[in-house]
Amino acid sequence: MSTPPKTPARPAKEHACSIHRSLDILGEKWSLLIIRNAFRGQTKFSEFRDALGVPSDILTARLATLVEAGVLERRAYREPGARERSSYHLTERGRALKTVLVALQEWGDSYTPWPGGRVSLVQRAGTSDHVELAFVDDTGAAVSPDEVALVPGPSAGLTW
């Protein structure tokens, strides 16, 4: 009689709250700025370092965390006459963070505006049509943020 395969234990640092788990991966400012710049087309270590001004040791650690979490994937490349290096590309999981970045941008534009105006605009690709994030119900109708509640889910240990 064979024994069923063991289910891997959940990491001790993992939390039931999805916001907490997300911040374990994305909670450092450099992580979100790396992802932002990846959306802008940067893929190379030197591009991230030079554009962000992030110290190399911190950049190395943040890239490793993002790769381990499946947000970025590492790909080998070699420029003529140089040694092989890695480039970093958004995965599906990484591309799904676009809504997070746009939400932060919209909040920042509203509550901490830059005196010179917006640095980035959110538009439908290939057009100049403005788009924004919204809560949408099951019928597709927009719902005001004031009408949206965060409520305990099935795994909540507490009610609030």
Side-chain angles (χ1 to χ4, degrees), residues 13-15 17-28 31 65:
K13 73 175 192 170
E14 191 169 14
H15 306 280
C17 175
S18 56
I19 295 171
H20 199 150
R21 288 193 318 276
S22 298
L23 289 172
D24 284 344
I25 298 166
L26 305 169
E28 301 282 340
S31 297
T65 297

Side-chain angles (χ1 to χ4, degrees), residues 1-2 5-7 10 15 21 23-24 28 30-31 58 69 85 94 99-100 104 118 120 126 139 147 153-154:
M1 180 172 171
S2 66
K6 290 185 178 183
T7 302
R10 304 287 290 207
H15 306 280
R21 288 193 318 276
L23 289 172
D24 284 344
E28 301 282 340
W30 295 118
S31 297
I58 293 173
R85 298 179 185 267
T99 55
V100 173
L104 287 169
R118 294 177 181 218
S120 297
T139 68
E147 296 179 76

Side-chain angles (χ1 to χ4, degrees), residues 37-51:
N37 283 25
F39 274 108
R40 293 177 174 177
Q42 293 178 359
T43 61
K44 298 177 182 172
F45 185 96
S46 60
E47 292 172 332
F48 293 123
R49 184 195 60 225
D50 296 346

Side-chain angles (χ1 to χ4, degrees), residues 54-88:
V54 58
S56 292
D57 59 332
I58 293 173
L59 179 57
T60 298
R62 297 301 167 263
L63 287 170
T65 297
L66 294 170
V67 168
E68 182 180 324
V71 173
L72 295 174
E73 69 178 3
R74 188 178 284 128
R75 297 180 193 164
Y77 77 95
R78 181 188 309 265
E79 293 181 352
R83 66 179 175 84
E84 186 174 278
R85 298 179 185 267
S86 294
S87 59
Y88 300 88

Side-chain angles (χ1 to χ4, degrees), residues 92-159:
E92 180 180 344
R93 184 177 286 195
R95 289 186 300 276
L97 288 166
K98 185 182 288 187
T99 55
V100 173
L101 294 178
V102 171
L104 287 169
Q105 177 181 321
E106 287 182 358
W107 184 88
D109 287 344
S110 293
Y111 297 104
T112 63
W114 185 250
R118 294 177 181 218
V119 174
S120 297
L121 300 175
V122 182
Q123 298 178 337
R124 181 182 294 255
T127 74
S128 59
D129 296 343
H130 171 78
V131 296
E132 61 187 36
L133 292 179
F135 290 102
V136 180
D137 69 15
D138 291 339
T139 68
V143 178
S144 165
D146 293 336
E147 296 179 76
V148 175
L150 298 175
V151 300
S155 294
L158 303 171
T159 58

